[in-house]
Amino acid sequence: MAENNNQPNEVQLQIKPEVAEGNYANLAMITHSSSDFILDFAEMLPGMQAPVVSNRIIMAPEHAKRLLAALQENVYKYEQTFGKINIPNQQPRTIAPFKTGEEPEA
């Protein structure tokens, strides 16, 4: 962690150009074990047979809880600036998890 005399908690990140482009995700699946949280981010669009996971993030439970707090804080700030985020009433989709090493259907 990089330390700055003025802001000891500030971290300066470097980002590779291919990572900076980002990946679109409108679906996230979260699973966990006693030692890890696994976040799979996928894209699900009309005409696609099945969503395809583009990113998998694995983190310790402590980091997952920090992520939760950071998301809550940022959603609060977003809503203070841009207004309430409305989520239409819809039933959550159930997607069967895939087995490790299993290739998604093309």
Side-chain angles (χ1 to χ4, degrees), residues 75 79 84-90:
V75 167
E79 290 184 332
K84 183 171 172 51
I85 300 169
N86 293 312
I87 301 174
N89 291 335
Q90 64 181 26

Side-chain angles (χ1 to χ4, degrees), residues 8-19:
N9 291 328
E10 185 177 302
V11 176
Q12 292 186 345
L13 297 176
Q14 294 183 1
I15 188 165
K16 297 176 185 177
E18 63 273 15
V19 174

Side-chain angles (χ1 to χ4, degrees), residues 25-32 37-44 50-58 93-99:
N26 59 357
L27 175 69
M29 291 181 57
I30 303 170
T31 55
H32 65 276
F37 273 72
I38 298 120
L39 293 78
D40 286 327
F41 295 94
E43 177 180 358
M44 186 167 160
V52 176
V53 174
S54 59
N55 289 290
R56 171 173 278 183
I57 306 297
I58 303 168
R93 295 182 179 167
T94 302
I95 298 173
F98 54 88
K99 297 175 186 168

